[in-house]
Amino acid sequence: MIEKVLLVALVVLAIVVTQSNNLLRSLILLEVFSLLIALAYLLYQAPDVALAEVAIGLGLSTVLYLVGIKRIRVFHICYVFDETQAVRDAHIAEVEPTVVRPLELFLEKRENVEPHMAYSNKSLKDVIENDQPDLIVYQGAEKLYFIGNQDDQVYQDVLSSSGDIVDGSFQVEGISIEKVKNDDILQSY
């Protein structure tokens, strides 16, 4: 009975690890998977293999993955919708193929960073002060605004390639975070 539960848990955990969008969460789940595999080896009377799994699977591979994850820079993006509307799946589905996914692919391939996307309907100032993303994508009436730190090289690369990233349905304008913090620059748009 315990063997069946353990094997089902291993299959479910393997699927969850491969479907996770967060690298750190995947690593933690992978280590739990390794621990369950070691337990399965113990149940099948293979303590030497279980010990090797714990030493290599939990110990060495964790260190190697953590070093690899540390080398990858996570780039936080917040897509800000108009403050008056609630963020719904329909809104996300509308911008996903034209803005979000091309931006994520650009960052993954050309900039070698791990993009993490969040959606919000808070005010820009609230997002800047509380969430502190690396890039804010704000959709105005006719324009798409990329708001970021002017000193950030990834932000500069996104701005210079914005025509390739976003299809022709939006005109893109770059604005520094400092400018948005200091004035109500987007209130007129």
Side-chain angles (χ1 to χ4, degrees), residues 124-133 136 177 180-181:
L124 282 174
K125 289 192 180 203
D126 193 29
V127 169
I128 291 169
E129 291 171 7
N130 297 326
D131 302 339
Q132 300 175 344
I136 298 172
I177 281 184
V180 174
K181 281 182 184 177

Side-chain angles (χ1 to χ4, degrees), residues 30-50:
L30 190 62
E31 301 315 314
V32 171
F33 180 85
S34 186
L35 188 62
L36 290 178
I37 284 285
L39 184 61
Y41 289 140
L42 281 176
L43 285 175
Y44 290 120
Q45 278 91 36
D48 53 337
V49 180

Side-chain angles (χ1 to χ4, degrees), residues 32-104:
V32 171
F33 180 85
S34 186
L35 188 62
L36 290 178
I37 284 285
L39 184 61
Y41 289 140
L42 281 176
L43 285 175
Y44 290 120
Q45 278 91 36
D48 53 337
V49 180
L51 188 58
E53 177 65 33
V54 168
I56 296 169
L58 283 173
L60 183 62
S61 68
T62 302
V63 171
L64 292 175
Y65 281 128
L66 284 174
V67 168
I69 288 174
K70 187 174 181 176
R71 290 181 156 228
I72 294 176
R73 178 179 170 205
V74 177
F75 195 76
H76 297 279
I77 306 164
C78 186
Y79 197 104
V80 178
F81 292 93
D82 187 359
E83 296 173 42
T84 58
Q85 54 181 261
V87 178
R88 294 195 167 81
D89 288 341
H91 296 118
I92 295 171
E94 184 181 309
V95 297
E96 181 83 25
T98 57
V99 178
V100 175
R101 193 64 193 135
L103 179 59
E104 288 176 333

Side-chain angles (χ1 to χ4, degrees), residues 73 75 133-136 145-160 173-182 185:
R73 178 179 170 205
F75 195 76
D134 296 308
L135 173 67
I136 298 172
Y145 299 94
F146 285 173
I147 305 166
N149 185 346
Q150 294 292 336
D151 299 330
D152 187 358
Q153 185 60 46
V154 176
Y155 172 70
Q156 291 298 327
D157 292 345
V158 167
L159 278 183
S160 65
E173 184 177 329
I175 303 173
S176 73
I177 281 184
E178 293 77 25
K179 207 170 194 178
V180 174
K181 281 182 184 177
N182 296 333
I185 192 161

